[in-house]
Amino acid sequence: MAGDKPEGGEVPLLYSEGNVAARVALEREVRGWSTTELAERVTRAGIKMNQTAVWRIENGTPRRRINLDEALAFSRVFELPLEELMSPPLEGLDIDSRRLVQEAVEAFYEARDARDRLHHAVVAIANHIKAHPDSSRAIHEQCLRLMGDERDARTLSSDIADGGHY
């Protein structure tokens, strides 16, 4: 059909098994994992895989096919939506840039999770103080003892008094 292929080459598919293979290699490299480590992670995610299979997916001629269960396991292991795993890698990002972005994304989610844990802990303490008002002063003193920094302890105590961190 005219227009399907540019002169002398194939039209790259937006979502393809080849993209998944390229992304598996890229995502593994960004994380600094060996093919053995990736195979172990995929196996722990529920799909038995060995290092040779990973290597053949990334480098084989012909390349090893990827079934849907394996694609879903790679998606889970890399913490990427399947659609993203199937998409071609973005142009203009070298491996160092990808590593920096990966680190920032991981730190963002860790910080968000830490804020959520802090909020839930502060709410629990605030509820405890409501049920046991006589414990308020001792709780605030314990915050100071554990934190060692008066300003940080005051901030935490203020969050407790306000009933939450957010």
Side-chain angles (χ1 to χ4, degrees):
M1 186 161 142
D4 281 352
K5 293 182 182 180
E7 188 110 358
E10 293 185 16
V11 174
L13 297 174
L14 182 56
Y15 303 114
S16 73
E17 191 173 46
N19 287 340
V20 175
R23 288 300 297 272
V24 165
L26 177 67
E27 297 300 333
R28 179 186 60 73
E29 290 174 15
V30 164
R31 288 161 178 78
W33 299 345
S34 67
T35 53
T36 300
E37 185 173 356
L38 176 56
E40 289 169 357
R41 288 172 182 263
V42 169
T43 298
R44 283 195 305 269
I47 300 300
K48 187 166 174 42
M49 185 169 286
N50 60 38
Q51 177 274 335
T52 303
V54 173
W55 187 91
R56 288 181 53 224
I57 287 168
E58 294 180 7
N59 304 297
T61 306
R63 183 177 51 244
R64 181 186 174 283
R65 307 263 342 208
I66 303 165
N67 68 40
L68 182 57
D69 290 337
E70 292 168 340
L72 289 168
F74 284 128
S75 178
R76 188 174 308 122
V77 165
F78 293 133
E79 297 179 342
L80 292 173
L82 184 57
E83 183 177 19
E84 177 64 21
L85 185 68
M86 295 171 55
S87 301
L90 292 173
E91 296 288 327
L93 281 179
D94 62 13
I95 201 82
D96 290 331
S97 299
R98 289 177 188 278
R99 282 188 181 127
L100 292 170
V101 171
Q102 181 69 32
E103 184 178 334
V105 167
E106 289 172 5
F108 173 85
Y109 285 123
E110 289 168 5
R112 184 192 65 188
D113 292 346
R115 282 191 305 271
D116 288 346
R117 277 194 341 269
L118 175 58
H119 174 73
H120 292 296
V122 165
V123 167
I125 293 169
N127 289 337
H128 179 82
I129 290 172
K130 284 179 187 172
H132 307 92
D134 293 342
S135 67
S136 177
R137 184 170 182 77
I139 285 173
H140 295 296
E141 286 177 18
Q142 182 67 3
C143 287
L144 178 58
R145 285 181 184 174
L146 292 174
M147 297 180 88
D149 182 288
E150 190 173 333
R151 185 174 29 164
D152 287 344
R154 271 198 310 263
T155 300
L156 182 57
S157 291
S158 175
D159 287 348
I160 293 167
D162 292 343
H165 176 65
Y166 300 132

Short mmCIF file of all heavy atoms in Angstrom, two decimals, residues 21-73:
data_model
loop_
_atom_site.label_atom_id
_atom_site.label_comp_id
_atom_site.label_asym_id
_atom_site.label_seq_id
_atom_site.Cartn_x
_atom_site.Cartn_y
_atom_site.Cartn_z
N ALA A 21 11.64 -4.73 23.28
CA ALA A 21 13.00 -5.25 23.41
C ALA A 21 14.00 -4.12 23.63
O ALA A 21 14.88 -4.21 24.50
CB ALA A 21 13.37 -6.07 22.18
N ALA A 22 13.87 -3.04 22.86
CA ALA A 22 14.78 -1.89 23.01
C ALA A 22 14.60 -1.24 24.38
O ALA A 22 15.58 -0.86 25.03
CB ALA A 22 14.52 -0.87 21.90
N ARG A 23 13.35 -1.13 24.83
CA ARG A 23 13.09 -0.51 26.13
C ARG A 23 13.57 -1.40 27.26
O ARG A 23 14.05 -0.91 28.28
CB ARG A 23 11.59 -0.21 26.30
CG ARG A 23 11.08 0.93 25.45
CD ARG A 23 11.78 2.26 25.74
NE ARG A 23 11.56 2.75 27.09
CZ ARG A 23 10.54 3.51 27.46
NH1 ARG A 23 9.63 3.87 26.59
NH2 ARG A 23 10.44 3.91 28.71
N VAL A 24 13.45 -2.73 27.12
CA VAL A 24 13.96 -3.64 28.15
C VAL A 24 15.45 -3.39 28.33
O VAL A 24 15.94 -3.23 29.46
CB VAL A 24 13.66 -5.11 27.79
CG1 VAL A 24 14.49 -6.07 28.63
CG2 VAL A 24 12.18 -5.41 27.98
N ALA A 25 16.19 -3.34 27.22
CA ALA A 25 17.63 -3.11 27.30
C ALA A 25 17.92 -1.74 27.93
O ALA A 25 18.76 -1.62 28.83
CB ALA A 25 18.26 -3.20 25.91
N LEU A 26 17.22 -0.72 27.46
CA LEU A 26 17.45 0.64 27.96
C LEU A 26 17.11 0.75 29.45
O LEU A 26 17.91 1.28 30.24
CB LEU A 26 16.62 1.63 27.15
CG LEU A 26 16.73 3.08 27.60
CD1 LEU A 26 18.12 3.62 27.36
CD2 LEU A 26 15.69 3.92 26.88
N GLU A 27 15.95 0.26 29.84
CA GLU A 27 15.52 0.39 31.23
C GLU A 27 16.44 -0.41 32.15
O GLU A 27 16.73 0.01 33.27
CB GLU A 27 14.06 -0.04 31.40
CG GLU A 27 13.05 0.81 30.63
CD GLU A 27 13.04 2.28 31.03
OE1 GLU A 27 13.38 2.60 32.18
OE2 GLU A 27 12.67 3.11 30.18
N ARG A 28 16.90 -1.55 31.69
CA ARG A 28 17.84 -2.35 32.48
C ARG A 28 19.14 -1.57 32.67
O ARG A 28 19.67 -1.48 33.79
CB ARG A 28 18.11 -3.70 31.78
CG ARG A 28 19.09 -4.59 32.53
CD ARG A 28 19.43 -5.84 31.75
NE ARG A 28 20.04 -5.60 30.46
CZ ARG A 28 21.30 -5.17 30.29
NH1 ARG A 28 22.08 -4.93 31.32
NH2 ARG A 28 21.77 -4.98 29.07
N GLU A 29 19.66 -0.99 31.59
CA GLU A 29 20.91 -0.23 31.66
C GLU A 29 20.77 1.01 32.55
O GLU A 29 21.68 1.33 33.31
CB GLU A 29 21.36 0.18 30.26
CG GLU A 29 21.84 -0.99 29.42
CD GLU A 29 22.14 -0.59 27.98
OE1 GLU A 29 22.24 0.62 27.69
OE2 GLU A 29 22.26 -1.50 27.15
N VAL A 30 19.64 1.70 32.43
CA VAL A 30 19.41 2.90 33.25
C VAL A 30 19.49 2.56 34.72
O VAL A 30 20.04 3.32 35.52
CB VAL A 30 18.03 3.54 32.91
CG1 VAL A 30 17.60 4.52 33.98
CG2 VAL A 30 18.09 4.22 31.55
N ARG A 31 18.98 1.41 35.09
CA ARG A 31 18.98 1.00 36.49
C ARG A 31 20.28 0.33 36.92
O ARG A 31 20.48 0.01 38.08
CB ARG A 31 17.80 0.06 36.73
CG ARG A 31 16.47 0.81 36.70
CD ARG A 31 15.30 -0.12 36.47
NE ARG A 31 14.04 0.59 36.48
CZ ARG A 31 13.58 1.32 35.45
NH1 ARG A 31 14.27 1.43 34.35
NH2 ARG A 31 12.43 1.95 35.54
N GLY A 32 21.17 0.11 35.96
CA GLY A 32 22.46 -0.51 36.27
C GLY A 32 22.35 -1.98 36.59
O GLY A 32 23.21 -2.54 37.29
N TRP A 33 21.32 -2.65 36.07
CA TRP A 33 21.11 -4.07 36.33
C TRP A 33 21.80 -4.90 35.26
O TRP A 33 21.82 -4.54 34.09
CB TRP A 33 19.63 -4.42 36.33
CG TRP A 33 18.80 -3.74 37.36
CD1 TRP A 33 19.22 -3.06 38.47
CD2 TRP A 33 17.37 -3.65 37.37
NE1 TRP A 33 18.15 -2.57 39.17
CE2 TRP A 33 16.99 -2.91 38.52
CE3 TRP A 33 16.38 -4.13 36.53
CZ2 TRP A 33 15.67 -2.65 38.84
CZ3 TRP A 33 15.05 -3.86 36.84
CH2 TRP A 33 14.72 -3.13 37.99
N SER A 34 22.30 -6.04 35.65
CA SER A 34 22.82 -7.01 34.68
C SER A 34 21.63 -7.77 34.09
O SER A 34 20.51 -7.71 34.60
CB SER A 34 23.75 -7.99 35.38
OG SER A 34 23.01 -8.79 36.30
N THR A 35 21.89 -8.51 33.01
CA THR A 35 20.83 -9.35 32.45
C THR A 35 20.41 -10.42 33.45
O THR A 35 19.23 -10.78 33.52
CB THR A 35 21.29 -9.99 31.12
OG1 THR A 35 22.52 -10.67 31.33
CG2 THR A 35 21.44 -8.94 30.02
N THR A 36 21.35 -10.89 34.25
CA THR A 36 21.03 -11.89 35.28
C THR A 36 20.11 -11.28 36.34
O THR A 36 19.11 -11.91 36.74
CB THR A 36 22.32 -12.41 35.94
OG1 THR A 36 23.13 -13.01 34.93
CG2 THR A 36 22.01 -13.42 37.04
N GLU A 37 20.42 -10.07 36.78
CA GLU A 37 19.58 -9.42 37.80
C GLU A 37 18.18 -9.17 37.27
O GLU A 37 17.19 -9.38 37.97
CB GLU A 37 20.21 -8.11 38.27
CG GLU A 37 19.44 -7.47 39.40
CD GLU A 37 20.12 -6.27 40.01
OE1 GLU A 37 21.26 -5.95 39.62
OE2 GLU A 37 19.50 -5.65 40.89
N LEU A 38 18.06 -8.72 36.01
CA LEU A 38 16.74 -8.51 35.43
C LEU A 38 15.97 -9.82 35.36
O LEU A 38 14.79 -9.87 35.72
CB LEU A 38 16.83 -7.86 34.06
CG LEU A 38 15.50 -7.67 33.34
CD1 LEU A 38 14.51 -6.86 34.19
CD2 LEU A 38 15.72 -7.00 31.99
N ALA A 39 16.62 -10.88 34.93
CA ALA A 39 15.95 -12.19 34.85
C ALA A 39 15.45 -12.62 36.23
O ALA A 39 14.34 -13.13 36.37
CB ALA A 39 16.91 -13.23 34.28
N GLU A 40 16.25 -12.39 37.27
CA GLU A 40 15.83 -12.75 38.63
C GLU A 40 14.63 -11.92 39.07
O GLU A 40 13.70 -12.43 39.70
CB GLU A 40 17.00 -12.54 39.60
CG GLU A 40 18.11 -13.56 39.43
CD GLU A 40 19.38 -13.21 40.19
OE1 GLU A 40 19.45 -12.13 40.83
OE2 GLU A 40 20.33 -14.04 40.14
N ARG A 41 14.63 -10.64 38.73
CA ARG A 41 13.50 -9.77 39.10
C ARG A 41 12.22 -10.18 38.37
O ARG A 41 11.14 -10.16 38.96
CB ARG A 41 13.84 -8.31 38.81
CG ARG A 41 14.85 -7.73 39.78
CD ARG A 41 15.30 -6.34 39.36
NE ARG A 41 16.29 -5.79 40.24
CZ ARG A 41 16.03 -4.96 41.25
NH1 ARG A 41 14.81 -4.58 41.49
NH2 ARG A 41 17.02 -4.51 42.01
N VAL A 42 12.34 -10.52 37.10
CA VAL A 42 11.18 -10.97 36.33
C VAL A 42 10.66 -12.29 36.92
O VAL A 42 9.44 -12.47 37.07
CB VAL A 42 11.53 -11.12 34.84
CG1 VAL A 42 10.42 -11.83 34.07
CG2 VAL A 42 11.80 -9.75 34.22
N THR A 43 11.56 -13.17 37.30
CA THR A 43 11.16 -14.44 37.92
C THR A 43 10.43 -14.17 39.23
O THR A 43 9.38 -14.78 39.51
CB THR A 43 12.38 -15.35 38.12
OG1 THR A 43 12.95 -15.65 36.84
CG2 THR A 43 12.00 -16.64 38.82
N ARG A 44 10.96 -13.24 40.06
CA ARG A 44 10.28 -12.90 41.32
C ARG A 44 8.91 -12.26 41.07
O ARG A 44 8.02 -12.36 41.89
CB ARG A 44 11.15 -11.97 42.16
CG ARG A 44 12.29 -12.68 42.85
CD ARG A 44 12.93 -11.85 43.95
NE ARG A 44 13.40 -10.56 43.53
CZ ARG A 44 14.63 -10.29 43.08
NH1 ARG A 44 15.52 -11.26 42.98
NH2 ARG A 44 14.97 -9.07 42.74
N ALA A 45 8.75 -11.63 39.90
CA ALA A 45 7.47 -11.03 39.54
C ALA A 45 6.47 -12.07 39.04
O ALA A 45 5.33 -11.74 38.74
CB ALA A 45 7.67 -9.94 38.49
N GLY A 46 6.92 -13.33 38.93
CA GLY A 46 5.99 -14.40 38.60
C GLY A 46 6.18 -15.05 37.24
O GLY A 46 5.44 -15.97 36.89
N ILE A 47 7.16 -14.59 36.46
CA ILE A 47 7.40 -15.18 35.14
C ILE A 47 8.82 -15.73 35.12
O ILE A 47 9.78 -14.96 35.20
CB ILE A 47 7.21 -14.13 34.02
CG1 ILE A 47 5.81 -13.56 34.03
CG2 ILE A 47 7.55 -14.74 32.66
CD1 ILE A 47 4.70 -14.57 33.81
N LYS A 48 8.94 -17.05 35.04
CA LYS A 48 10.27 -17.67 35.06
C LYS A 48 11.06 -17.21 33.83
O LYS A 48 10.59 -17.32 32.70
CB LYS A 48 10.13 -19.18 35.09
CG LYS A 48 11.47 -19.89 35.29
CD LYS A 48 11.25 -21.33 35.64
CE LYS A 48 12.52 -22.13 35.71
NZ LYS A 48 13.64 -21.51 36.34
N MET A 49 12.26 -16.68 34.10
CA MET A 49 13.11 -16.20 33.01
C MET A 49 14.56 -16.35 33.45
O MET A 49 14.87 -16.19 34.62
CB MET A 49 12.79 -14.74 32.69
CG MET A 49 13.55 -14.21 31.48
SD MET A 49 12.94 -12.62 30.91
CE MET A 49 11.41 -13.12 30.12
N ASN A 50 15.43 -16.63 32.49
CA ASN A 50 16.85 -16.73 32.80
C ASN A 50 17.63 -15.65 32.04
O ASN A 50 17.07 -14.96 31.18
CB ASN A 50 17.40 -18.13 32.52
CG ASN A 50 17.26 -18.52 31.07
OD1 ASN A 50 17.42 -17.71 30.16
ND2 ASN A 50 16.95 -19.79 30.84
N GLN A 51 18.90 -15.53 32.36
CA GLN A 51 19.76 -14.49 31.78
C GLN A 51 19.84 -14.63 30.26
O GLN A 51 19.82 -13.63 29.54
CB GLN A 51 21.16 -14.57 32.41
CG GLN A 51 22.16 -13.59 31.85
CD GLN A 51 22.88 -14.09 30.61
OE1 GLN A 51 23.02 -15.28 30.37
NE2 GLN A 51 23.33 -13.15 29.80
N THR A 52 19.88 -15.84 29.77
CA THR A 52 19.97 -16.07 28.33
C THR A 52 18.75 -15.52 27.61
O THR A 52 18.87 -14.92 26.54
CB THR A 52 20.15 -17.57 28.03
OG1 THR A 52 21.31 -18.04 28.72
CG2 THR A 52 20.27 -17.84 26.55
N ALA A 53 17.58 -15.70 28.21
CA ALA A 53 16.35 -15.19 27.59
C ALA A 53 16.40 -13.67 27.51
O ALA A 53 16.04 -13.09 26.48
CB ALA A 53 15.13 -15.64 28.40
N VAL A 54 16.86 -13.01 28.57
CA VAL A 54 16.96 -11.54 28.54
C VAL A 54 17.94 -11.13 27.44
O VAL A 54 17.65 -10.23 26.64
CB VAL A 54 17.40 -10.97 29.91
CG1 VAL A 54 17.67 -9.48 29.81
CG2 VAL A 54 16.35 -11.27 30.98
N TRP A 55 19.10 -11.78 27.38
CA TRP A 55 20.09 -11.43 26.37
C TRP A 55 19.52 -11.60 24.96
O TRP A 55 19.70 -10.76 24.09
CB TRP A 55 21.35 -12.28 26.53
CG TRP A 55 22.45 -11.81 25.61
CD1 TRP A 55 23.41 -10.89 25.88
CD2 TRP A 55 22.65 -12.21 24.25
NE1 TRP A 55 24.20 -10.69 24.79
CE2 TRP A 55 23.76 -11.49 23.76
CE3 TRP A 55 22.01 -13.10 23.40
CZ2 TRP A 55 24.25 -11.63 22.46
CZ3 TRP A 55 22.49 -13.24 22.10
CH2 TRP A 55 23.60 -12.51 21.65
N ARG A 56 18.79 -12.71 24.73
CA ARG A 56 18.22 -12.98 23.41
C ARG A 56 17.12 -11.99 23.06
O ARG A 56 16.95 -11.63 21.88
CB ARG A 56 17.71 -14.41 23.33
CG ARG A 56 18.87 -15.42 23.27
CD ARG A 56 18.42 -16.87 23.18
NE ARG A 56 17.50 -17.07 22.07
CZ ARG A 56 16.38 -17.80 22.16
NH1 ARG A 56 16.05 -18.39 23.28
NH2 ARG A 56 15.61 -17.95 21.10
N ILE A 57 16.37 -11.51 24.06
CA ILE A 57 15.36 -10.48 23.81
C ILE A 57 16.05 -9.19 23.36
O ILE A 57 15.64 -8.53 22.41
CB ILE A 57 14.50 -10.23 25.07
CG1 ILE A 57 13.54 -11.40 25.29
CG2 ILE A 57 13.74 -8.91 24.95
CD1 ILE A 57 12.86 -11.41 26.65
N GLU A 58 17.13 -8.85 24.04
CA GLU A 58 17.83 -7.60 23.75
C GLU A 58 18.72 -7.66 22.51
O GLU A 58 18.83 -6.68 21.79
CB GLU A 58 18.69 -7.20 24.96
CG GLU A 58 17.90 -6.84 26.19
CD GLU A 58 18.79 -6.44 27.35
OE1 GLU A 58 20.03 -6.32 27.18
OE2 GLU A 58 18.25 -6.24 28.46
N ASN A 59 19.38 -8.81 22.27
CA ASN A 59 20.44 -8.87 21.27
C ASN A 59 20.33 -9.98 20.24
O ASN A 59 21.13 -10.01 19.30
CB ASN A 59 21.80 -9.07 21.97
CG ASN A 59 22.06 -8.00 22.98
OD1 ASN A 59 22.17 -6.83 22.65
ND2 ASN A 59 22.16 -8.39 24.25
N GLY A 60 19.44 -10.92 20.44
CA GLY A 60 19.41 -12.11 19.59
C GLY A 60 19.14 -11.82 18.13
O GLY A 60 18.51 -10.83 17.77
N THR A 61 19.66 -12.70 17.28
CA THR A 61 19.38 -12.64 15.85
C THR A 61 18.97 -14.04 15.42
O THR A 61 19.84 -14.91 15.31
CB THR A 61 20.62 -12.19 15.06
OG1 THR A 61 21.10 -10.97 15.60
CG2 THR A 61 20.29 -11.99 13.60
N PRO A 62 17.72 -14.34 15.22
CA PRO A 62 16.62 -13.40 15.42
C PRO A 62 16.36 -13.15 16.90
O PRO A 62 16.69 -13.97 17.75
CB PRO A 62 15.42 -14.12 14.78
CG PRO A 62 15.74 -15.58 14.92
CD PRO A 62 17.25 -15.67 14.83
N ARG A 63 15.77 -12.02 17.18
CA ARG A 63 15.47 -11.64 18.55
C ARG A 63 14.40 -12.58 19.13
O ARG A 63 13.48 -12.99 18.42
CB ARG A 63 14.96 -10.19 18.58
CG ARG A 63 14.69 -9.69 19.97
CD ARG A 63 14.25 -8.24 20.03
NE ARG A 63 13.16 -7.95 19.13
CZ ARG A 63 13.25 -7.12 18.10
NH1 ARG A 63 14.35 -6.51 17.84
NH2 ARG A 63 12.21 -6.92 17.32
N ARG A 64 14.55 -12.92 20.40
CA ARG A 64 13.57 -13.77 21.08
C ARG A 64 12.26 -13.01 21.23
O ARG A 64 12.25 -11.84 21.59
CB ARG A 64 14.09 -14.18 22.46
CG ARG A 64 13.13 -15.09 23.22
CD ARG A 64 13.69 -15.31 24.63
NE ARG A 64 12.83 -16.03 25.50
CZ ARG A 64 11.75 -15.54 26.10
NH1 ARG A 64 11.36 -14.31 25.89
NH2 ARG A 64 11.04 -16.28 26.93
N ARG A 65 11.17 -13.67 20.92
CA ARG A 65 9.84 -13.05 21.04
C ARG A 65 9.49 -12.85 22.51
O ARG A 65 9.97 -13.57 23.37
CB ARG A 65 8.79 -13.95 20.38
CG ARG A 65 9.10 -14.34 18.95
CD ARG A 65 8.49 -13.58 17.86
NE ARG A 65 7.35 -12.78 18.19
CZ ARG A 65 6.40 -12.48 17.33
NH1 ARG A 65 6.46 -12.95 16.12
NH2 ARG A 65 5.41 -11.71 17.65
N ILE A 66 8.64 -11.89 22.76
CA ILE A 66 8.18 -11.57 24.11
C ILE A 66 6.68 -11.83 24.15
O ILE A 66 5.93 -11.25 23.36
CB ILE A 66 8.45 -10.09 24.45
CG1 ILE A 66 9.93 -9.77 24.30
CG2 ILE A 66 7.95 -9.75 25.85
CD1 ILE A 66 10.23 -8.28 24.27
N ASN A 67 6.24 -12.69 25.07
CA ASN A 67 4.80 -12.92 25.17
C ASN A 67 4.18 -11.88 26.11
O ASN A 67 4.89 -11.12 26.78
CB ASN A 67 4.48 -14.37 25.57
CG ASN A 67 4.88 -14.71 26.98
OD1 ASN A 67 4.72 -13.92 27.92
ND2 ASN A 67 5.40 -15.91 27.17
N LEU A 68 2.87 -11.83 26.14
CA LEU A 68 2.17 -10.81 26.91
C LEU A 68 2.49 -10.91 28.41
O LEU A 68 2.71 -9.89 29.06
CB LEU A 68 0.66 -10.91 26.69
CG LEU A 68 -0.19 -9.87 27.40
CD1 LEU A 68 0.24 -8.45 27.03
CD2 LEU A 68 -1.66 -10.08 27.10
N ASP A 69 2.53 -12.12 28.94
CA ASP A 69 2.85 -12.28 30.36
C ASP A 69 4.24 -11.70 30.68
O ASP A 69 4.43 -11.05 31.70
CB ASP A 69 2.80 -13.75 30.77
CG ASP A 69 1.39 -14.30 30.78
OD1 ASP A 69 0.43 -13.50 30.90
OD2 ASP A 69 1.23 -15.53 30.68
N GLU A 70 5.20 -11.95 29.79
CA GLU A 70 6.54 -11.41 30.00
C GLU A 70 6.55 -9.89 29.91
O GLU A 70 7.19 -9.21 30.72
CB GLU A 70 7.51 -12.01 28.97
CG GLU A 70 7.76 -13.49 29.18
CD GLU A 70 8.47 -14.15 28.02
OE1 GLU A 70 8.47 -13.60 26.89
OE2 GLU A 70 9.04 -15.24 28.25
N ALA A 71 5.83 -9.34 28.93
CA ALA A 71 5.75 -7.88 28.79
C ALA A 71 5.15 -7.26 30.05
O ALA A 71 5.64 -6.23 30.55
CB ALA A 71 4.93 -7.50 27.56
N LEU A 72 4.12 -7.90 30.58
CA LEU A 72 3.51 -7.39 31.82
C LEU A 72 4.49 -7.48 32.99
O LEU A 72 4.55 -6.57 33.83
CB LEU A 72 2.22 -8.15 32.13
CG LEU A 72 1.06 -7.86 31.19
CD1 LEU A 72 -0.06 -8.87 31.40
CD2 LEU A 72 0.56 -6.44 31.37
N ALA A 73 5.27 -8.56 33.05
CA ALA A 73 6.27 -8.69 34.12
C ALA A 73 7.35 -7.62 33.99
O ALA A 73 7.75 -7.02 34.98
CB ALA A 73 6.89 -10.09 34.10
#
